[in-house]
Amino acid sequence: MKRYAIIVAGGKGTRMGNDIPKQFIEIAGKPILAHTIENFYRFDPNIDLIIVLPQNQQEYWKRLCSIHRITIPHLVVKGGETRFHSVLNGLSLIPDEGIVAIHDGVRPLTAHRVIENCFHVAEEKGGHNCAKLVLINVNLQDILDAPDADAKGAVIVDAAICAEKAGADFVALGSNGLHQY
């Protein structure tokens, strides 16, 4: 099944006391967001990457891509009023069935085995005829050696993202059963 990653990067950097949004802060000569994109691309060069940015940050991102020679293919979509709406905007670019990872743009160090585990759980536990969402919530200290998929940050969201029903109810499959949101 086709894999997608929606990387949400709408931070402003105010808590960090910085004038530039945290996703654009440079580490090792590149913006944090570039490292995140590169990590997913190294994980799977065939993954379709969708970056969600506020409208007023998109030109700046394009300039950074040029300056830093960021050539990994990705689409950019406008962020929404809330993170939820930003994710929905990203989902609007998913054309068909697939497995969709939702990831924070300032989490560049996610281990590939964690990402693979999340996709694997979605493939095994998800329903049919829908895109399945994998919310990758990364706290490396807690999750790298955790014994089960939920502890590794995999939350499977299913049944809500059928192409014709984007934005409908969410159903999360966790270790303690199904939860509707």
Side-chain angles (χ1 to χ4, degrees):
M1 190 168 278
K2 180 69 183 151
R3 290 178 172 182
Y4 302 88
I6 295 174
I7 299 173
V8 184
K12 295 177 179 73
T14 53
R15 287 182 297 180
M16 296 181 71
N18 210 320
D19 290 338
I20 65 169
K22 59 188 171 183
Q23 59 269 22
F24 302 139
I25 294 171
E26 286 190 21
I27 295 179
K30 286 188 269 190
I32 294 172
L33 180 57
H35 289 287
T36 303
I37 290 169
E38 288 172 355
N39 189 40
F40 271 85
Y41 184 77
R42 280 191 310 271
F43 163 72
D44 180 356
N46 295 312
I47 197 166
D48 281 6
L49 297 168
I50 299 167
I51 313 305
V52 183
L53 286 168
Q55 184 75 44
N56 65 352
Q57 295 177 6
Q58 291 182 14
E59 280 302 314
Y60 185 61
W61 173 244
K62 284 181 190 175
R63 284 197 311 274
L64 289 175
C65 287
S66 178
I67 291 167
H68 295 282
R69 295 187 171 112
I70 300 165
T71 59
I72 294 170
H74 62 277
L75 299 173
V76 177
V77 67
K78 182 178 88 164
E81 187 175 316
T82 66
R83 183 177 176 96
F84 173 82
H85 294 102
S86 293
V87 169
L88 284 181
N89 289 351
L91 288 170
S92 73
L93 297 182
I94 306 297
D96 208 348
E97 288 186 31
I99 301 175
V100 182
I102 309 297
H103 189 69
D104 191 312
V106 294
R107 304 280 187 262
L109 301 176
T110 307
H112 290 178
R113 64 187 167 121
V114 172
I115 298 170
E116 180 58 43
N117 182 66
C118 291
F119 277 111
H120 177 74
V121 170
E123 289 167 349
E124 294 293 314
K125 304 286 185 184
H128 303 286
N129 300 322
C130 287
K132 296 142 186 111
L133 290 184
V134 180
L135 304 179
I136 302 175
N137 178 15
V138 183
N139 179 339
L140 292 176
Q141 193 75 4
D142 296 335
I143 61 181
L144 287 178
D145 296 318
D148 65 279
D150 286 322
K152 286 186 182 357
V155 178
I156 310 308
V157 181
D158 195 1
I161 313 303
C162 293
E164 68 273 15
K165 294 171 105 179
D169 291 339
F170 285 85
V171 178
L173 175 62
S175 60
N176 54 353
L178 288 171
H179 305 280
Q180 188 166 1
Y181 299 97

